[in-house]
Amino acid sequence: MTEKRMSRWYFGGLASCGAACCTHPLDLIKVHLQTQQEVKKRMMGMAIHVVKNDGVLALYSGLSASLCRQMSYSLTRFAIYETVRDMMGSTNQGPMPFYQKVLLGVFGGFTGGFVGTPADMVNVRMQNDMKLPPELRRNYKHAIDGLFRVFREEGVRRLFSGASMASSRGAMVTVGQLACYDQAKQLVLGTGMMGDNILTHFLSSFIAGGCATFLCQPLDVLKTRLMNSKGEYTGVTHCLRETAKLGPLAFYKGLVPAGIRLIPHTVLTFIFLEQLKKYFGIRIVS
């Protein structure tokens, strides 16, 4: 008889919240870099500028919205992906083929991206608020206040501004993170050189983080610009055209900070997830 542990549907959301608490300052700097029209500051320069102007705690501006986003977006995509994967894994003998993981990742990520769009928009606005002059700041107290104010002042449609971009990005990130993590872990364990331990989890999640960063960066830039706009873009295609005028590298603006944020976030998420699974997962005896 062998015993293994399976993830509970909400573990992905909890693990993502833990990771978000650690990487939030990097996310905030990434948003600041992406929303500047001309490249005036690099990553370290932007971090020093934020701390000098608004203090160290400003690096955690919008944390409540970030956690709200993880509990909507990440919870949904992990719940769909892990639940379906485990169901299919119990009926099939052996792991799922990679193409099925990719398709499942696209579906889970697209759904999660749509569900998490309102919290994501408030998150971007709260992080970018301190860059604006005092008279133009939105001054949301926290994520829930931001959601209610957008609903009251701008309507339901505005809450889902950039939903197509967020959903597409969610699909790409989920393929990069979840499908690539599963595949990388399967390949690492298949070598027989490493066991199912924290080092394997670290290596597999590091590979997954790199894949996710490269796949989703162009969509991330467009999504940030759309969500932060004050009506200057008529839609996704207009935003795409305006960004393209800045050159092809504009779509990879903030790639290094995005990688520096997304790779540690991916690593921490999967390490937390594997530990939650190990100690609190559903016991399966076969």
Side-chain angles (χ1 to χ4, degrees):
M1 280 168 57
T2 56
E3 181 188 302
K4 68 171 186 172
R5 299 270 184 164
M6 284 173 74
S7 183
R8 296 179 191 273
W9 65 271
Y10 52 86
F11 279 0
L14 294 178
S16 298
C17 282
C21 288
C22 302
T23 60
H24 187 76
L26 296 168
D27 194 25
L28 179 126
I29 291 161
K30 181 204 73 172
V31 168
H32 280 250
L33 287 168
Q34 286 176 346
T35 50
Q36 57 181 356
Q37 276 301 320
E38 289 99 34
V39 180
K40 294 173 187 167
K41 289 184 175 69
R42 298 289 175 191
M43 190 179 176
M44 282 307 295
M46 187 62 82
I48 292 162
H49 173 75
V50 169
V51 171
K52 197 182 285 182
N53 283 14
D54 301 280
V56 178
L57 286 178
L59 290 171
Y60 277 90
S61 171
L63 179 64
S64 64
S66 185
L67 294 177
C68 184
R69 175 176 176 259
Q70 296 302 339
M71 288 308 287
S72 51
Y73 159 66
S74 283
L75 186 76
T76 306
R77 69 195 182 109
F78 269 94
I80 292 170
Y81 183 89
E82 300 240 305
T83 307
V84 176
R85 183 202 61 195
D86 291 344
M87 267 170 45
M88 289 179 74
S90 61
T91 53
N92 302 342
Q93 290 304 309
M96 283 168 68
F98 184 57
Y99 79 91
Q100 287 184 4
K101 292 174 188 171
V102 169
L103 292 173
L104 184 54
V106 167
F107 176 70
F110 197 87
T111 310
F114 183 78
V115 170
T117 300
D120 199 6
M121 188 182 71
V122 171
N123 183 32
V124 168
R125 286 185 172 191
M126 284 177 78
Q127 288 175 351
N128 204 52
D129 220 26
M130 70 183 78
K131 268 175 70 179
L132 301 171
E135 66 276 8
L136 292 175
R137 289 182 183 179
R138 296 178 175 103
N139 295 318
Y140 299 146
K141 296 189 192 78
H142 46 74
I144 308 301
D145 175 55
L147 290 168
F148 272 115
R149 275 186 52 193
V150 174
F151 174 70
R152 200 170 59 240
E153 294 164 17
E154 302 173 59
V156 180
R157 285 192 67 181
R158 191 62 182 161
L159 273 175
F160 287 91
S161 163
S164 57
M165 218 71 254
S167 299
S168 305
R169 180 188 175 274
M172 289 295 186
V173 172
T174 309
V175 168
Q177 282 184 332
L178 278 73
C180 289
Y181 174 77
D182 268 0
Q183 196 66 20
K185 186 180 168 186
Q186 189 183 317
L187 292 170
V188 170
L189 291 174
T191 61
M193 292 164 66
M194 295 168 78
D196 193 356
N197 53 34
I198 202 160
L199 190 61
T200 300
H201 305 155
F202 174 82
L203 182 61
S204 306
S205 54
F206 192 89
I207 294 165
C211 294
T213 306
F214 186 77
L215 281 172
C216 76
Q217 187 60 17
L219 293 171
D220 198 21
V221 169
L222 293 176
K223 184 205 72 166
T224 303
R225 283 172 169 264
L226 276 170
M227 286 182 171
N228 202 51
S229 74
K230 283 188 159 63
E232 60 262 40
Y233 302 122
T234 53
V236 177
T237 47
H238 183 224
C239 181
L240 185 70
R241 282 201 304 273
E242 290 300 307
T243 310
K245 284 177 186 173
L246 303 171
L249 287 179
F251 291 104
Y252 281 92
K253 189 189 274 188
L255 179 68
V256 173
I260 291 171
R261 184 202 75 90
L262 191 56
I263 293 170
H265 185 272
T266 307
V267 169
L268 289 168
T269 299
F270 283 109
I271 286 175
F272 290 156
L273 181 66
E274 294 284 2
Q275 295 307 303
L276 283 168
K277 195 193 295 186
K278 183 179 174 182
Y279 294 105
F280 306 105
I282 304 161
R283 287 177 63 201
I284 305 289
V285 180
S286 58

